[in-house]
Amino acid sequence: MGTGPGAVEHLSDRARDALASAQVIVGYTTYINLIKDLIGDREVISTGMTKEKERCQQAVEAAASGRRVAVVSSGDPGVYGMAGLVLEIMESSGLLGKLPVEVVPGITSATASAAKLGAPLMHDFAVISLSDLLTPWETIEARLEAAARSDFVVVLYNPASKKRTRQIEKAREILLLHRQPQTPVGIVKNTAREKESVIITTLDCMTEHSIDMLSTVIVGNSSTRRAGDFIITPRGYRI
Amino acid sequence: MGTGPGAVEHLSDRARDALASAQVIVGYTTYINLIKDLIGDREVISTGMTKEKERCQQAVEAAASGRRVAVVSSGDPGVYGMAGLVLEIMESSGLLGKLPVEVVPGITSATASAAKLGAPLMHDFAVISLSDLLTPWETIEARLEAAARSDFVVVLYNPASKKRTRQIEKAREILLLHRQPQTPVGIVKNTAREKESVIITTLDCMTEHSIDMLSTVIVGNSSTRRAGDFIITPRGYRI
């Protein structure tokens, strides 16, 4: 289940019900802390950031033992989240179709960040993760190139981390081959959390700003323009 | 503001608050009917489907006259929704930066439909509207081609209507140039509403099923596979 961005402000009723009815709650420690008031004294399985496979395995084991389990993702669990991993582990354990399972959607960073920036996603967009831990960098580059050339608005997830800083520079270079330097870019960090920051800049200057693993970067298409404190990608209506 | 898919099940707390504090509620008649229990006897401005510009103009006029207005979109208002239109009308009326405005995100069809299908969006994806009312068909074709060639999962919004049936056939042809006929495809109709339907089929056979303007179509990438009643696009973990 997804809790949306931030803490509980964007939680849906369906997600709140799923959380309320769970006997065991599983998640990355940081996310669990964001919703701890809703968990109370129930059993929690929480682990650090790179332990997602272990977490999902423990969740499936708990469910197989007859308990009702909620695996919590920030944002939407189906967008680079835990939904696929849970289903894959259930499949490999022969539990798919035997244990009931539901994916509860949440508001994902792409649209939560877009809302903070105005309306950059009013036209076709491509969502690309710049993390090359599980994906060959050549594949990511080819997608950046294709999205840039065919004028998609581009949403970058996992744009950078402390160790991973080269990818966002390279993404900018690829996008600049097909798009004007003045193309509006939005950088939203810590959406709906403390220390939220919203920056509107340009493709040319985007990497002068701090971009980290809690940031989502949205690069406009050829019609995206700045309007006051917002970015707008026109849908095409005559105003 | 976005109400998410369906009626109120996926409404976020933030959206519920925004709706509760509005003096005037503006929206497409069908959406207004879905949330009428939350509106009560407050003023409503609702119009038919092709009248979105008129609706937003009336909303901005009501706000300019000092009232607190909620413009309601199903799903997320920033994804082919009303957010851009409201901001553009405010800009052209010289009201941007003078009247307070907030975009409240919602769960969009891409991720709500994905949740019904399992986990098809675990890797990079492209969101493309097949409506050529406001966008030249050549632009849409170029995006389909680029997304197909660089192995994006593809999410199709507005895939067809009663009059517009050729586009989904053509999209299938373009995707088949770069992807196997057996590629899993999900068709989700009326997400979280009465008469919801979830179909899992293949790229080869997708147009044998009914696809209409209330459907969202998700076409897998080269690694997407069927697992029981679900579609999974592996992120790349070793299970």
Side-chain angles (χ1 to χ4, degrees):
Chain A
M1 53 160 287
T3 57
V8 295
E9 177 186 359
H10 292 284
L11 199 67
S12 73
D13 288 359
R14 179 71 201 97
R16 191 179 289 274
D17 288 349
L19 193 59
S21 68
Q23 295 166 301
V24 182
I25 291 122
V26 181
Y28 169 40
T29 313
T30 306
Y31 299 157
I32 291 289
N33 286 338
L34 285 170
I35 55 167
K36 60 173 186 262
D37 291 348
L38 297 178
I39 296 177
D41 56 3
R42 283 177 288 169
E43 184 182 345
V44 168
I45 300 173
S46 66
T47 57
M49 195 168 51
T50 58
K51 299 289 181 192
E52 49 268 49
K53 200 171 122 184
E54 290 75 4
R55 272 204 303 278
C56 292
Q57 272 161 341
Q58 288 177 277
V60 171
E61 281 163 23
S65 78
R67 284 181 291 171
R68 199 172 160 88
V69 180
V71 181
V72 174
S73 280
S74 144
D76 184 284
V79 178
Y80 311 113
M82 295 297 104
L85 203 43
V86 168
L87 293 177
E88 285 188 274
I89 290 168
M90 288 181 68
E91 185 190 25
S92 75
S93 320
L95 293 168
L96 211 56
K98 292 179 183 161
L99 274 184
V101 60
E102 177 188 354
V103 180
V104 179
I107 295 173
T108 188
S109 302
T111 71
S113 304
K116 294 286 174 185
L117 294 165
L121 302 186
M122 295 304 297
H123 222 295
D124 304 332
F125 62 97
V127 175
I128 303 173
S129 167
L130 293 190
S131 170
D132 54 358
L133 292 175
L134 297 168
T135 306
W137 177 249
E138 297 68 37
T139 303
I140 300 171
E141 270 202 359
R143 289 178 183 159
L144 286 165
E145 164 75 25
R149 203 182 27 218
S150 49
D151 206 27
F152 280 99
V153 177
V154 176
V155 184
L156 302 174
Y157 277 61
N158 308 309
S161 70
K162 274 181 191 163
K163 289 180 188 165
R164 214 165 39 71
T165 55
R166 191 186 54 82
Q167 288 83 348
I168 186 72
E169 297 280 358
K170 188 67 191 165
R172 173 180 163 277
E173 285 169 26
I174 293 170
L175 285 156
L176 273 172
L177 295 175
H178 301 277
R179 231 158 266 191
Q180 294 299 319
Q182 293 309 308
T183 302
V185 168
I187 304 167
V188 182
K189 201 185 290 192
N190 289 306
T191 310
R193 296 188 197 173
E194 278 181 56
K195 299 186 191 163
E196 177 183 88
S197 99
V198 177
I199 290 167
I200 295 180
T201 176
T202 61
L203 187 51
D204 205 28
C205 300
M206 62 184 263
T207 48
E208 293 168 15
H209 300 273
S210 153
I211 297 176
D212 64 15
M213 56 180 293
L214 296 171
S215 308
T216 303
V217 178
I218 301 184
V219 180
N221 71 12
S222 62
S223 342
T224 305
R225 59 190 171 73
R226 181 147 183 178
D229 291 335
F230 297 107
I231 303 178
I232 301 173
T233 302
R235 181 83 195 278
Y237 294 100
R238 286 191 200 168
I239 305 301
Chain B
M1 53 160 288
T3 56
V8 295
E9 176 185 0
H10 292 284
L11 200 67
S12 73
D13 288 0
R14 180 69 200 96
R16 191 179 290 273
D17 289 349
L19 193 58
S21 68
Q23 295 166 300
V24 182
I25 291 124
V26 181
Y28 169 40
T29 313
T30 306
Y31 299 156
I32 291 289
N33 287 338
L34 285 170
I35 56 168
K36 60 174 186 265
D37 291 348
L38 296 178
I39 295 178
D41 57 3
R42 283 177 288 167
E43 183 181 348
V44 169
I45 300 173
S46 67
T47 57
M49 196 167 50
T50 56
K51 299 288 181 192
E52 49 268 49
K53 200 171 122 183
E54 290 76 4
R55 274 203 301 279
C56 291
Q57 272 162 339
Q58 288 178 278
V60 171
E61 281 164 22
S65 78
R67 285 180 292 171
R68 198 171 161 89
V69 179
V71 180
V72 175
S73 279
S74 144
D76 185 285
V79 179
Y80 311 114
M82 295 297 104
L85 203 44
V86 168
L87 294 177
E88 284 187 276
I89 290 168
M90 288 180 68
E91 186 190 24
S92 74
S93 319
L95 293 168
L96 211 56
K98 292 180 183 161
L99 274 184
V101 59
E102 178 188 352
V103 181
V104 179
I107 295 174
T108 187
S109 301
T111 72
S113 304
K116 296 285 173 184
L117 294 165
L121 302 186
M122 295 303 296
H123 221 296
D124 305 332
F125 62 96
V127 175
I128 302 174
S129 167
L130 293 190
S131 170
D132 54 0
L133 292 177
L134 296 169
T135 306
W137 178 249
E138 298 67 38
T139 303
I140 300 171
E141 270 201 359
R143 289 178 183 159
L144 286 165
E145 163 76 24
R149 201 180 30 217
S150 50
D151 207 26
F152 280 99
V153 177
V154 175
V155 184
L156 302 175
Y157 278 61
N158 308 309
S161 70
K162 275 182 191 163
K163 290 182 189 165
R164 213 165 39 73
T165 55
R166 193 186 54 82
Q167 288 83 349
I168 187 72
E169 298 280 357
K170 187 67 190 164
R172 173 180 163 276
E173 285 168 28
I174 293 170
L175 285 155
L176 273 170
L177 295 176
H178 301 277
R179 230 158 268 190
Q180 293 299 319
Q182 294 309 307
T183 303
V185 168
I187 304 168
V188 182
K189 200 184 291 190
N190 289 308
T191 310
R193 296 188 196 172
E194 277 181 57
K195 299 185 189 163
E196 178 183 89
S197 100
V198 178
I199 290 166
I200 295 181
T201 177
T202 61
L203 187 51
D204 205 26
C205 300
M206 63 184 261
T207 47
E208 294 168 15
H209 299 274
S210 152
I211 296 175
D212 64 14
M213 57 179 292
L214 296 171
S215 308
T216 303
V217 177
I218 300 184
V219 180
N221 71 11
S222 61
S223 343
T224 305
R225 59 191 171 71
R226 182 146 181 178
D229 293 334
F230 297 108
I231 304 179
I232 302 174
T233 302
R235 180 82 195 277
Y237 294 100
R238 285 190 201 170
I239 305 301

